[in-house]
Amino acid sequence: AKSNLISSLKGSKPSKRVVVIGGGLSGLACAKYLVDSGHKPIVLEARRVLGGKVSAWQSPDGSWVETGLHIFFGAYPNMMNLFSELGLHDRLQWKPHRMTFAMPKKPGTFTSFEFPPNVPAPFNMAAAILSNNEMLGLVEKIQMVPGLLPMLLEGQDFIDAQDELSVDEFMSKYGMPESVKEEIFIAMGKALDFMDPDKLSMSVILTAMNRFINEADGSQTAFLDGNQPDRLCAPMREYIEERGGEVRTGVPVREILTGEGGRVEGLSTDGGMVEGDYYVSAMPVDVMKKLLPKTWSEMPFFTQINELEGVPVINIQIWFDRKLPALDGLCFSRSPLLSVYADMSVCCEEYYDEDKSMLELVFAPATKAAGAERNWISESDEDILEATLKELENVFPEDVKDEGGAKVEKYTVVRTPRSVYATTPGRNKFRPSQKTPISNFVLAGDWSSQKFLGSMEGAVLAGKLAAEVVASGVVDEEGGWKEGGIGKEGGRGMEGGVG
Ligand code: FAD
């Protein structure tokens, strides 16, 4: 049915020229689905490198410096479809199905939730939680039930209704013990949105748990087998260009020019005006706010995005002169300044090293405002490294220490002052739909309305939904087929939002 829809779109309607602003995963996914439905996308990416928040570049010695440690989940249906459609499925390195946590009170030790194979959801998760007694006792596990049961019974509606509550507020409302926060929710919040639970909306934790509870492999993780620009963005670009689209890098859009009724007339770039029949913004929310044309600035649909703002985060890579005790997979560090980390010399084929470890770590929260003691995002690289090593002493006491410890051969610090939108309580209602009040302007980007929050999956889904708005708009305009579309899982963006 899906391919019929696409070919009916392709066959009967004239191809439209669609200018997509931003070559992150959302813009590239949008362009991919536009060529699939017979249109001609032109992606304009400001930077020389594609990928946005998944971008990476090579240092002079050839090692890859990444913007962020990126993990794929089994619960990413649109991302998995994209890999299949591009013929890249074998580039995902799936890890044993477990969630591993460092044990701060027992330095150098780890514990994990082990998901038994061949057990359907939600029983595999129940087994994983019940069989681990190192983090929560039976009584605490039972005390979690009243808060989690409505999610199981009512699903997404219940989750959406919790968006106004912080994790702390939700926990006290449902009588969850503090230990659940200390042991699990802090780690989850820092990993999912780089924030501590007093600032974070409970809907974030529940959204992730709901996916993990409902899908047997939802919480299983995979690493891409190498750097994202080469291993994922380049094949997307190739796919788009082979089918008549264009991807231009080093082309920042300076202004969105509008005419009658606020319709877009063109985009101003350093190389001149770029025009199309449709325009899709796949830029981050903070850039969209800056580029918003004056004629749109009073429209409620657009003023709502002032309520969204990117959260700061720091990514650190440290190359050691020896192997640290290695885990093949993601680990929650459960330390005050660090979120998740992985030893990429073990987890990722391109970075494999028999003899030396390369840890990639997410440093969060990264500002004072997000609950940290110092405003880390503006501290020096040296101070950030020093603070990271101090926390790693507790994770690897035998190997990261002042005397006789592993030596740091080199390190990189990449700051993203405004990354995914900060999911403080009550943000969901301000996320705009892909369809906008401007008839030839469509929104994509992980922050636009879709149920996967700010994530790679959310970015791909939003791009797909944006392509669908364009494709169905073209048909609408000419009096043809009006519903359905390119085929997406978990969408609910399109026409939602305020405005
Ligand atoms: P972006 O990637 O921000 O792309 C927007 C693009 O627009 C950029 O390339 C930018 O250069 C371009 N642009 C901006 N302004 C202009 C302009 N004026 N003209 C032209 N182009 C412009 N997600 C997960 O699912 N799993 C993870 O493990 C994970 N870990 C992360 C770790 C870190 C440290 C970070 C920072 C993010 C992580 N994410 C993770 C989130 C994920 O990276 C993002 O949700 C996703 O990549 C966003 O894609 P996007 O295309 O919506 O936006």
Side-chain angles (χ1 to χ4, degrees):
K2 186 164 92 185
S3 62
N4 283 348
L5 282 177
I6 292 172
S7 56
S8 79
L9 282 170
K10 234 183 194 166
S12 55
K13 304 298 163 194
S15 163
K16 295 285 176 179
R17 187 179 152 94
V18 188
V19 189
V20 180
I21 320 170
L25 289 179
S26 200
L28 290 172
C30 180
K32 189 259 174 208
Y33 290 104
L34 283 169
V35 293
D36 282 349
S37 51
H39 300 292
K40 180 183 167 57
I42 296 138
V43 178
L44 306 179
E45 165 53 45
R47 298 160 81 191
R48 294 259 158 227
V49 59
L50 289 172
K53 292 194 237 312
V54 303
S55 66
W57 49 92
Q58 270 174 304
S59 60
D61 71 357
S63 13
W64 283 93
V65 181
E66 303 201 327
T67 306
L69 169 62
H70 278 86
I71 308 299
F72 297 80
F73 287 93
Y76 279 6
N78 296 283
M79 194 60 152
M80 294 308 130
N81 285 343
L82 180 68
F83 270 87
S84 296
E85 290 157 7
L86 295 168
L88 303 178
H89 226 100
D90 59 356
R91 295 192 181 181
L92 285 172
Q93 295 184 258
W94 289 98
K95 303 300 173 189
H97 196 176
R98 64 168 66 101
M99 289 170 99
T100 306
F101 300 84
M103 298 284 281
K105 289 180 194 137
K106 294 185 196 163
T109 63
F110 299 86
T111 187
S112 57
F113 290 140
E114 301 281 339
F115 290 72
N118 306 321
V119 175
F123 305 107
N124 64 339
M125 188 171 193
I129 293 176
L130 288 172
S131 62
N132 180 307
N133 295 318
E134 290 190 85
M135 292 199 287
L136 299 175
L138 185 61
V139 175
E140 292 157 317
K141 288 173 192 166
I142 293 169
Q143 286 172 324
M144 284 175 78
V145 173
L148 300 183
L149 198 60
M151 173 186 82
L152 268 177
L153 300 177
E154 295 169 43
Q156 196 64 41
D157 288 343
F158 174 79
I159 295 172
D160 290 345
Q162 312 314 308
D163 192 49
E164 305 291 326
L165 296 182
S166 69
V167 175
D168 283 1
E169 287 164 345
F170 179 92
M171 289 184 67
S172 60
K173 181 171 170 185
Y174 285 94
M176 285 188 173
E178 256 323 83
S179 51
V180 173
K181 180 167 96 180
E182 298 300 324
E183 299 291 343
I184 298 175
F185 287 172
I186 294 180
M188 278 184 82
K190 278 156 66 99
L192 290 165
D193 206 46
F194 318 132
M195 284 160 71
D196 276 332
D198 54 331
K199 307 277 188 305
L200 185 72
S201 162
M202 187 63 192
S203 65
V204 175
I205 304 266
L206 292 175
T207 299
M209 288 187 99
N210 193 37
R211 299 265 59 81
F212 296 171
I213 278 183
N214 281 305
E215 294 165 37
D217 62 357
S219 54
Q220 192 168 1
T221 55
F223 288 62
L224 190 60
D225 64 359
N227 75 84
Q228 294 234 16
D230 281 355
R231 305 298 290 167
L232 179 57
C233 301
M236 288 176 87
R237 176 184 205 155
E238 214 167 280
Y239 184 103
I240 294 161
E241 293 188 332
E242 273 169 4
R243 288 159 182 80
E246 281 179 46
V247 178
R248 303 181 193 163
T249 52
V251 186
V253 169
R254 303 287 182 200
E255 198 181 348
I256 301 171
L257 304 163
T258 56
E260 208 178 311
R263 269 176 71 87
V264 182
E265 296 203 319
L267 304 173
S268 155
T269 72
D270 298 347
M273 235 313 242
V274 182
E275 290 175 33
D277 301 305
Y278 284 84
Y279 300 85
V280 177
S281 166
M283 296 184 288
V285 64
D286 297 287
V287 186
M288 185 64 228
K289 284 191 268 188
K290 279 198 192 143
L291 285 196
L292 200 71
K294 265 217 164 67
T295 44
W296 304 353
S297 62
E298 302 287 310
M299 300 168 87
F301 180 90
F302 291 109
T303 52
Q304 69 179 327
I305 70 176
N306 290 325
E307 302 294 329
L308 303 172
E309 192 177 340
V311 66
V313 66
I314 302 170
N315 197 65
I316 307 166
Q317 287 165 257
I318 308 175
W319 285 260
F320 289 96
D321 69 344
R322 65 159 100 143
K323 211 82 185 158
L324 306 181
L327 290 164
D328 186 13
L330 184 74
C331 184
F332 293 85
S333 75
R334 297 205 301 168
S335 73
L337 296 175
L338 301 176
S339 170
V340 285
Y341 76 86
D343 188 336
M344 298 299 268
S345 73
V346 178
C347 294
C348 170
E349 195 174 313
E350 189 179 20
Y351 307 144
Y352 274 150
D353 191 325
E354 291 272 307
D355 308 315
K356 297 174 179 182
S357 282
M358 188 269 271
L359 295 193
E360 184 161 352
L361 311 110
V362 179
F363 190 109
T367 59
K368 208 169 176 144
E373 276 176 28
R374 283 163 71 180
N375 192 21
W376 285 104
I377 197 91
S378 48
E379 298 279 352
S380 69
D381 287 6
E382 293 73 25
D383 282 2
I384 291 169
L385 175 72
E386 195 187 314
T388 302
L389 290 173
K390 193 94 215 118
E391 300 216 342
L392 286 179
E393 283 176 11
N394 203 42
V395 184
F396 301 106
E398 299 298 317
D399 296 274
V400 181
K401 55 185 176 183
D402 285 342
E403 284 193 17
K407 296 221 162 30
V408 173
E409 290 192 330
K410 59 180 177 178
Y411 70 98
T412 57
V413 174
V414 178
R415 297 169 184 77
T416 305
R418 288 172 191 270
S419 70
V420 294
Y421 77 97
T423 41
T424 51
R427 291 313 91 187
N428 232 349
K429 60 181 176 295
F430 299 118
R431 294 173 71 193
S433 56
Q434 286 72 39
K435 188 167 182 165
T436 78
I438 307 298
S439 59
N440 67 345
F441 182 78
V442 179
L443 281 175
D446 60 357
W447 53 279
S448 65
S449 181
Q450 42 73 24
K451 75 172 188 190
F452 288 94
L453 305 165
S455 65
M456 295 185 286
E457 169 71 6
V460 167
L461 173 57
K464 199 181 222 180
L465 290 168
E468 187 170 73
V469 171
V470 172
S472 56
V474 171
V475 178
D476 275 0
E477 233 172 52
E478 291 155 30
W481 167 81
K482 286 198 169 64
E483 28 171 284
I486 285 160
K488 74 276 170 207
E489 312 230 11
R492 57 142 201 215
M494 300 278 288
E495 308 198 35
V498 183

